[in-house]
Amino acid sequence: MELSAGVSKQDIREQIWDYMESQNLADFPRPVHHRIPNFKGAPRAAEHFPRLQAFKMARTIKVNPDAPQKNARFLVLDSRKTLLVPTPRLRTGLFNKITPPPGATKDILRKCATSQGVRSFSTPVGLDARVQVDLVVVGSVAVSEKGWRIGKGEGYADLEYAMMVSMGAVSPETPVVTIVHDCQVVDIPEALLEDHDLTVDYILTPTRVIATGCERPKPAGIIWSKISCEMMEKIPVLRSLRSREKQAGKDVSLQDEPRDLDTSRLQTAPLRALRGPQALPLATQREDVPADTVYVGNLPRDARVSELKTALRARGAAPLRLSWQGPQRRAFLHYPDAASAQQAVSCLQDLRLGANSLRVALARQQRPSDLVDTRPGEPHPNRRPAVADL
C-alpha cells in the first residue's frame, strides 16, 4: 500500500491499521489498532523462516510473543532449537526459555508456542545466564525494504534488543527478522528513525523473502536518557541492568530524573533562567486552576483529538477526561488527583505529534494567556469544555 506524504510514525501506524481492518486482512484479536497485527497468512509467511541460512545456523532464537509469530515459535521448537520468548511488557524479567515436555508431539509443540504454552512450559532466564542469542524475531506494524521498522509505539522490541546488547546476548552481526503481511511493507522516511530504533535484516511475508541489506547500525545498548522513572518502576530487570552499568561508570541518568544542581549558582541565578514546570516559583501558580489538570500546547494545526489520545495511551498517561481546544492548538488533560497529573507531566516530556514538539506542564503553572483566549466566550480550563472521554 502507498502512504500519504509528510507522515509521522503514528500516521503510518494508523494508515496500516485502518487499511488492514477495511480490507479484512486481520485475524483475532481485532481490531488491530494499537497491536502488532495478527494478519491472515501469518503461518504461510513463517514457512519461509526455516529456509533462511541464519535459521539453519542458529541454536538459540528469540521470538516475540505476539500472535502473528506463533508459527515461527513452533518452527523453532520443531527444529529442536532453543526458543526464548520475552516476558510480556518485561514485567517479571527479560526472557523465558520454552522447555517442551519429553517426547512432545507436534500438537504439544504447537501448544507450547501459544501464549498459554509460554506460561505453562517456560522457565525464566536471568541476567547471569550468559545466554547467546543467534537470531532475533520481532513483530512490526510497518517495515520498509531498506530495513526501517515501526512497532506499535510502546518501544518494547527496541528496549528488549537494547537490553540484550547490554547483557552481551547479541552482537551487531546478530540477524533480526520480522514477519508481516505484504501490505505492511511500505516506504518509511529515514528521517523518522532515531538512535534507539531497531532495524531488520530479513522481512518474511506470505509471498516473498526480502533481504534488506540494512547497513544502519542497530542500537548499541540502552539509551538511559530515553527511559522514564515510571518505566524503571514497571521493569525490575531494567533496574538491575542500570545498577550494573552505573557500577561500570556509564551515564545512566533517566529521562525525567532530577539532576544534582549547584546550589551556590542557584542562589544568584535569576529565576527566569530556570526552565520547566519544576523551576517555576510558587507565586506564579494559578490557584484558580485545578492541580489535577495538565496543559498540552503547540499542537499541530491539523491535529486530531484521536491522535493525541493514541499518543497519551502509548505513554501510559491516559487522563480521565480530555478538553480539546484544537483551534487554539492546545488541550487540557484532567486526572484523578494532583499526583497523577504531575506523573503524567513526567511521562509526556519530549512528546511529539507529527513534526511538533508539544509543550506539556501543569495547567496552573501556565501563563494566563495560555489558559484563556482573548476572544469572547473562550472557556477557562476549570470549566472543562469539549470534553472527550478516553
Side-chain angles (χ1 to χ4, degrees), residues 343-357:
Q343 184 177 20
V345 170
S346 298
C347 292
L348 297 175
Q349 295 306 305
D350 302 320
L351 183 65
R352 299 179 66 89
L353 275 188
N356 287 29
S357 295

Side-chain angles (χ1 to χ4, degrees), residues 131-379:
V131 62
Q132 184 65 47
V133 177
D134 305 307
L135 185 58
V136 173
V137 180
V138 296
S140 303
V141 173
V143 65
S144 78
E145 293 190 11
K146 294 181 179 180
W148 315 154
R149 172 192 170 274
I150 295 176
K152 61 184 176 183
E154 295 182 340
Y156 282 103
D158 300 322
L159 181 57
E160 288 162 7
Y161 182 87
M163 292 168 73
M164 287 191 287
V165 172
S166 294
M167 63 185 289
V170 295
S171 72
E173 289 73 38
T174 304
V176 177
V177 177
T178 194
I179 302 174
V180 296
H181 191 277
D182 288 277
C183 75
Q184 294 173 260
V185 183
V186 296
D187 289 332
I188 299 174
E190 187 174 3
L192 295 181
L193 270 66
E194 300 179 69
D195 290 343
H196 65 272
D197 287 327
L198 179 62
T199 56
V200 304
D201 302 291
Y202 296 96
I203 304 168
L204 310 184
T205 80
T207 65
R208 56 182 178 153
V209 174
I210 303 170
T212 67
C214 184
E215 296 182 357
R216 183 184 177 92
K218 292 181 173 62
I222 299 172
I223 304 175
W224 293 103
S225 61
K226 298 283 187 181
I227 304 296
S228 68
C229 292
E230 181 184 22
M231 189 175 292
M232 290 292 297
E233 287 298 318
K234 291 180 177 179
I235 305 176
V237 67
L238 200 55
R239 298 199 293 271
S240 299
L241 279 172
R242 186 190 186 211
S243 177
R244 292 185 179 198
E245 297 206 350
K246 185 175 183 179
Q247 290 178 2
K250 294 184 179 180
D251 182 0
V252 294
S253 301
L254 303 182
Q255 179 187 84
D256 51 355
E257 184 178 43
R259 304 296 180 96
D260 293 333
L261 298 176
D262 184 344
T263 55
S264 64
R265 293 179 60 189
L266 283 178
Q267 290 172 356
T268 58
L271 285 173
R272 64 178 178 273
L274 303 178
R275 297 182 179 271
Q278 297 287 344
L280 288 171
L282 293 177
T284 68
Q285 295 193 7
R286 294 177 53 83
E287 299 300 331
D288 58 331
V289 178
D292 62 2
T293 302
V294 172
Y295 166 87
V296 179
N298 197 37
L299 293 168
R301 295 186 184 280
D302 58 350
R304 296 173 294 178
V305 66
S306 60
E307 295 173 329
L308 180 57
K309 289 181 182 179
T310 299
L312 296 175
R313 291 194 194 99
R315 292 289 185 99
L320 291 176
R321 293 173 299 280
L322 186 154
S323 302
W324 179 255
Q325 297 182 12
Q328 288 75 49
R329 300 176 62 190
R330 68 190 177 206
F332 294 95
L333 315 179
H334 308 287
Y335 292 90
D337 49 46
S340 300
Q342 184 61 67
Q343 184 177 20
V345 170
S346 298
C347 292
L348 297 175
Q349 295 306 305
D350 302 320
L351 183 65
R352 299 179 66 89
L353 275 188
N356 287 29
S357 295
L358 305 188
R359 294 197 301 270
V360 180
L362 293 176
R364 65 176 6 185
Q365 294 175 334
Q366 294 304 292
R367 297 170 299 179
S369 60
D370 287 332
L371 302 179
V372 182
D373 200 286
T374 55
R375 291 175 296 180
E378 179 62 27

